[in-house]
């Protein structure tokens, strides 16, 4: 049980950290394009999450390719990959929310 939790936490933090740091740097671009009516907030955040889905699956698959047979997991490989990818997407969405509420990167990290 401990190894599964450690791998899941690693996947969550691995996807959450880049999302947390990216939006405060992209904020001026988003605000400019939102002000000109290029796109709204919902399509922007939906597209960011849609881009994260293949990255989450690839990252969790890589993590489980390295650990699944070494540790000797008994569960279904695909189910474990998709579960950790989903947990990572939830963590990335939460960190994107925190990053969008923060004024700069230092505030977002704290």
């Amino acid at each position: 049980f401990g190894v599964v939790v450690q791998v899941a936490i690693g996947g969550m933090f691995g996807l959450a950290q880049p999302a947390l740091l990216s939006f405060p740097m992209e904020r001026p671009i988003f605000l400019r394009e939102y002000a000109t009516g290029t796109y709204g907030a919902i399509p922007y955040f939906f597209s960011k999450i849609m881009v994260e889905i293949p990255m989450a699956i690839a990252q969790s698959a890589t993590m489980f390719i390295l650990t699944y047979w070494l540790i000797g997991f008994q569960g279904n490989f695909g189910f474990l990959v998709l579960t950790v990818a989903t947990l990572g997407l939830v963590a990335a969405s939460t960190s994107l929310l925190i990053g969008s509420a923060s004024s700069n990167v230092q505030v977002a990290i704290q």
Side-chain angles (χ1 to χ4, degrees):
F1 178 74
V3 174
V4 175
V5 172
Q6 285 298 111
V7 170
I9 289 173
M12 288 170 54
F13 279 115
L15 283 170
Q17 192 68 21
L20 178 68
L21 299 175
S22 69
F23 187 76
M25 293 184 283
E26 296 172 0
R27 180 187 302 251
I29 298 166
F30 170 72
L31 292 176
R32 182 188 67 218
E33 293 181 359
Y34 182 75
T36 61
T38 306
Y39 48 77
I42 293 173
Y44 175 77
F45 288 109
F46 184 71
S47 67
K48 282 192 73 74
I49 295 301
M50 292 303 289
V51 167
E52 291 285 331
I53 289 173
M55 291 177 14
I57 292 172
Q59 180 179 351
S60 60
T62 303
M63 190 170 32
F64 273 106
I65 285 172
L66 296 174
T67 60
Y68 186 81
W69 290 278
L70 290 173
I71 294 173
F73 283 130
Q74 299 296 319
N76 184 357
F77 179 79
F79 179 75
L80 289 172
V81 167
L82 291 177
T83 301
V84 171
T86 304
L87 287 172
L89 286 170
V90 169
S93 299
T94 304
S95 66
L96 190 59
L97 175 70
I98 293 169
S100 65
S102 305
S103 58
N104 58 28
V105 175
Q106 288 79 23
V107 173
I109 291 174
Q110 294 175 359

